[in-house]
Amino acid sequence: MITTRRRRFGAAFASTLIAAALALGSAMPAQANPAYRGKDPQSSGCSAGSYTVKSWGLYNSKYGQYQGTAELRYSPKCGTNWIRVTSNVAGNEVRGEIITNYGASGAYRQGSGIVINRVRTDWSTMIEAPGSACVYVSASITDIRSGRVEGRLATQTVC
């Protein structure tokens, strides 16, 4: 009798775990699709349902001002990442870059970047970073006239 109860509990527990896994399956990240590498997230449809994984304020150290934002974006639909940058100040160039070493040996390196030089928001093309692959995000603010870097987001690692 005790063995039967254990079996019933085990079967019920297993059924609960399977149901939970299926429910979570729709929220699990998609496998990266190499067909999206280097593509625009908007025109490819990958931006639909995408979200910001992490964001950083961009500060101009010369003036001590917040002048923009860098965002790491992720598309569950396409299994891709990209960087989106916003510049709040005319006369400066905001540059963002995203890189990953996704690959079995870690030797496969891919990256994408974006440069904007007026007040607006823009984004890079997509890279693959499935599962627990790490991405590296960096950004900078450069004065257009002098060419001097006036703010820098040191490389951030997001896994």
Side-chain angles (χ1 to χ4, degrees), residues 19-94:
L22 290 174
L24 288 174
S26 61
M28 299 291 281
Q31 285 291 347
N33 186 337
Y36 293 115
R37 185 184 324 131
K39 302 283 194 247
D40 178 87
Q42 291 285 344
S43 63
S44 66
C46 293
S47 64
S50 67
Y51 58 89
T52 299
V53 175
K54 194 161 185 176
S55 66
W56 302 268
L58 302 177
Y59 293 88
N60 185 313
S61 57
K62 181 177 178 180
Y63 299 107
Q65 293 177 322
Y66 165 78
Q67 293 189 345
T69 306
E71 299 170 274
L72 172 61
R73 302 284 296 169
Y74 176 71
S75 168
K77 175 182 173 185
C78 301
T80 55
N81 290 99
W82 63 93
I83 186 170
R84 181 169 68 183
V85 293
T86 301
S87 174
N88 297 333
V89 177
N92 284 345
E93 174 184 276
V94 176

Side-chain angles (χ1 to χ4, degrees), residues 65-151:
Q65 293 177 322
Y66 165 78
Q67 293 189 345
T69 306
E71 299 170 274
L72 172 61
R73 302 284 296 169
Y74 176 71
S75 168
K77 175 182 173 185
C78 301
T80 55
N81 290 99
W82 63 93
I83 186 170
R84 181 169 68 183
V85 293
T86 301
S87 174
N88 297 333
V89 177
N92 284 345
E93 174 184 276
V94 176
R95 180 180 302 261
E97 184 177 39
I98 181 171
I99 297 172
T100 186
N101 288 329
Y102 165 61
S105 67
Y108 175 59
R109 188 172 171 89
Q110 58 177 321
S112 184
I114 186 68
V115 176
I116 57 176
N117 57 13
R118 58 184 183 268
V119 177
R120 73 177 189 156
T121 298
D122 209 343
W123 48 89
S124 70
T125 58
M126 296 180 287
I127 62 170
E128 300 165 69
S132 61
C134 297
V135 295
Y136 310 95
V137 175
S138 61
S140 63
I141 299 170
T142 304
D143 181 279
I144 293 173
R145 282 169 270 173
S146 70
R148 290 193 178 118
V149 175
E150 295 181 343

